[in-house]
Amino acid sequence: MAERVFLTPSSPPLPSQHTPTAMALFSGAASARIIPSVSLSSSRSFFSISSSSSSLQCLRSSPRISHLFLNQRRVEVRVSSGGYGTVSAPKSFASDPDQLKGAREDIKELLRSKFCHPILIRLGWHDAGTYNKNIEEWPQRGGANGSLRFEIELKHGANAGLVNALKLLQPIKDKYSGVTYADLFQLAGATAVEEAGGPKLPMKYGRVDVSGPEQCPEEGRLPDAGPPSPADHLRQVFYRMGLNDKEIVALSGAHTLGRSRPDRSGWGKPETKYTKDGPGAPGGQSWTVQWLKFDNSYFKDIKEKKDEDLLVLPTDAALFEDPSFKVYAEKYAEDQEAFFKDYAEAHAKLSNLGAKFDPPEGVVIDESPNAGAEKFVAAKYSTGKRELSEAMKQKIRAEYEAVGGSPDKPLQSNYFLNIMIIIAVLALLTSLLGN
């Protein structure tokens, strides 16, 4: 009988992909050890393109962490006298649900210590925001697939500074290896929104990772902050993702969090009275006064435009200038509950764009307190009977009230029963006398 042995094959180090420029950044080091030390607490526009980006060492080329970027598959090896044979091991989900829960707790602690809510949201958005609804094949269609961990995509202008977010999350990824990068990015963004006071997001997990940098999308799929025609540009980019005007405006409301730094995006002031003291690394220009609190103040502040220390990008101003966008922007400025509802739906939709789920229906790690509780329906427990329709109930009620009854009390006199008894007695007497 064959003996069953499980092996996890190791991958040989990948060939070096260093360029002279990248090597210079690491002061002549033979290979990258980890992402360089960076400022961790700032962010810029969640969807905007920077005119400047730094050359980064390819994480995947590091012998120390290259194994994290490869799809490792457990293989069952059957050893017998006839030789070796392999068959696939029993399949599991893309991400382990228990590890997802553990990673979320570690992310919460990270948020409390680093105040990195904005940049984690931006990381998740930029991984998902490359989706093209006109491309059917995965991963060519882009979307939430973890491709943003590779150097080629991190070097896109719109992703300037996101290496900081990746460095923050890498220890959590190392600890919870059963969670995909695609799920980790979206989990981090959703947790950041909720921990900042935002709505509970209806998230699901189980996203499959791309396996290599050759599967990254081309540059240019993310929005610019200052295009010649801001409203048209927003529609061009977000319509390509399958999103509508309401979702565009709702998602823009996430700029209630974060700051823009001119050295990264070319937008904003070096510092303001709201950012000069942090929290986290000081500097940059925020859209709101309390830029680590998720609420509807973004829409209020953009509408008023009274504070020169608050940032208003051309794409922000377009929300109150375009007639269709303005309907939703005005609504959200007045009604935070409506904003939270629409934002939660739009964020969850964005986080699923282009993703390939395993299992296909995804994995939900948050069950509502009453989830699974069955609503009591009396008719279900009656034998062969159904509940009376509302029309029939109203008819019975009307007939009952017509003779002096009501739902709250019986008839004052049971004269119907008395009349029926008298009629029955008379009928009996007539029958007897007739005989």
Side-chain angles (χ1 to χ4, degrees):
M1 180 178 295
E3 180 184 358
R4 302 173 67 189
V5 183
F6 288 93
L7 301 176
T8 301
S10 60
S11 301
L14 296 172
S16 174
Q17 300 178 20
H18 300 316
T19 62
T21 303
M23 290 295 289
L25 289 175
F26 286 82
S27 303
S31 63
R33 291 177 57 82
I34 193 65
I35 307 167
S37 177
V38 285
S39 170
L40 303 178
S41 61
S42 62
S43 179
R44 42 188 284 278
S45 173
F46 296 122
F47 273 138
S48 60
I49 292 180
S50 169
S51 59
S52 64
S53 62
S54 60
S55 298
L56 302 171
Q57 195 73 313
C58 179
L59 299 176
R60 188 169 180 254
S61 66
S62 168
R64 180 178 175 184
I65 59 174
S66 63
H67 69 282
L68 297 174
F69 300 97
L70 299 174
N71 280 351
Q72 296 192 11
R73 186 183 305 273
R74 189 177 69 161
V75 177
E76 179 181 338
V77 181
R78 293 180 178 174
V79 184
S80 67
S81 57
Y84 298 89
T86 63
V87 295
S88 296
K91 188 172 179 60
S92 60
F93 296 162
S95 290
D96 180 86
D98 290 333
Q99 290 201 25
L100 281 165
K101 294 178 182 178
R104 180 171 59 185
E105 295 307 308
D106 284 15
I107 291 170
K108 290 179 181 179
E109 181 59 35
L110 180 68
L111 293 167
R112 286 189 287 267
S113 62
K114 300 295 184 181
F115 310 104
C116 53
H117 305 65
I119 199 169
L120 294 187
I121 297 171
R122 183 169 162 244
L123 178 70
W125 278 31
H126 282 216
D127 194 46
T130 59
Y131 175 64
N132 187 339
K133 68 178 183 180
N134 301 312
I135 301 175
E136 184 176 352
E137 297 79 13
W138 184 91
Q140 291 90 332
R141 64 195 183 208
N145 57 29
S147 62
L148 191 46
R149 71 190 191 271
F150 292 112
E151 180 198 21
I152 188 172
E153 192 168 345
L154 283 169
K155 288 172 67 176
H156 292 179
N159 296 328
L162 285 181
V163 66
N164 302 4
L166 193 59
K167 181 180 180 181
L168 284 168
L169 292 179
Q170 189 60 54
I172 298 177
K173 180 66 175 75
D174 294 342
K175 181 177 178 181
Y176 300 99
S177 59
V179 175
T180 63
Y181 278 96
D183 272 349
L184 184 62
F185 294 166
Q186 301 308 322
L187 176 66
T191 304
V193 169
E194 294 170 5
E195 290 296 294
K200 185 68 177 177
L201 306 181
M203 301 292 290
K204 66 176 183 178
Y205 300 95
R207 296 168 187 81
V208 176
D209 279 342
V210 297
S211 58
E214 70 280 357
Q215 295 176 312
C216 291
E218 72 280 4
E219 187 169 6
R221 294 194 185 188
L222 297 172
D224 195 350
S229 180
D232 290 342
H233 177 70
L234 286 174
R235 287 192 174 95
Q236 178 183 0
V237 173
F238 283 90
Y239 282 11
R240 187 208 69 223
M241 300 182 208
L243 301 173
N244 58 35
D245 285 1
K246 181 175 76 171
E247 291 161 336
I248 292 172
V249 179
L251 289 171
S252 297
H255 278 152
T256 191
L257 300 177
R259 301 167 284 178
S260 177
R261 294 181 179 275
D263 57 326
R264 296 181 188 172
S265 66
W267 294 93
K269 299 178 179 180
E271 71 173 26
T272 69
K273 59 187 176 185
Y274 303 121
T275 65
K276 64 180 181 179
D277 297 321
Q285 186 176 12
S286 60
W287 285 263
T288 62
V289 175
Q290 293 181 289
W291 47 270
L292 285 177
K293 178 182 179 182
F294 196 101
D295 56 20
N296 67 336
S297 60
Y298 164 81
F299 296 104
K300 295 179 179 179
D301 293 336
I302 297 298
K303 181 179 180 179
E304 295 176 358
K305 296 182 181 179
K306 292 181 178 179
D307 194 332
E308 293 184 355
D309 271 343
L310 297 181
L311 180 65
V312 180
L313 297 172
T315 46
D316 299 320
L319 302 182
F320 283 93
E321 296 169 356
D322 180 87
S324 178
F325 288 160
K326 185 176 181 179
V327 172
Y328 301 108
E330 293 275 6
K331 177 182 178 181
Y332 299 151
E334 299 297 327
D335 189 344
Q336 179 169 287
E337 184 177 349
F339 166 52
F340 274 24
K341 177 181 179 296
D342 292 347
Y343 179 84
E345 294 173 357
H347 185 122
K349 181 177 179 179
L350 173 66
S351 75
N352 295 337
L353 294 180
K356 180 168 71 173
F357 285 91
D358 180 13
E361 68 276 11
V363 175
V364 176
I365 60 174
D366 284 313
E367 295 291 346
S368 62
N370 296 322
E374 182 180 6
K375 182 180 178 181
F376 178 78
V377 179
K380 184 174 180 179
Y381 299 96
S382 60
T383 306
K385 297 182 180 180
R386 296 180 297 177
E387 280 193 338
L388 293 174
S389 67
E390 286 300 316
M392 180 60 71
K393 291 177 182 178
Q394 292 296 328
K395 183 177 180 181
I396 293 172
R397 178 189 179 112
E399 292 177 349
Y400 187 53
E401 291 178 340
V403 295
S406 77
D408 304 317
K409 63 182 179 179
L411 292 173
Q412 293 181 356
S413 174
N414 210 352
Y415 59 88
F416 271 120
L417 178 58
N418 295 335
I419 292 173
M420 293 301 295
I421 293 174
I422 293 172
I423 292 174
V425 170
L426 290 175
L428 179 59
L429 290 174
T430 302
S431 177
L432 292 174
L433 292 174
N435 294 331

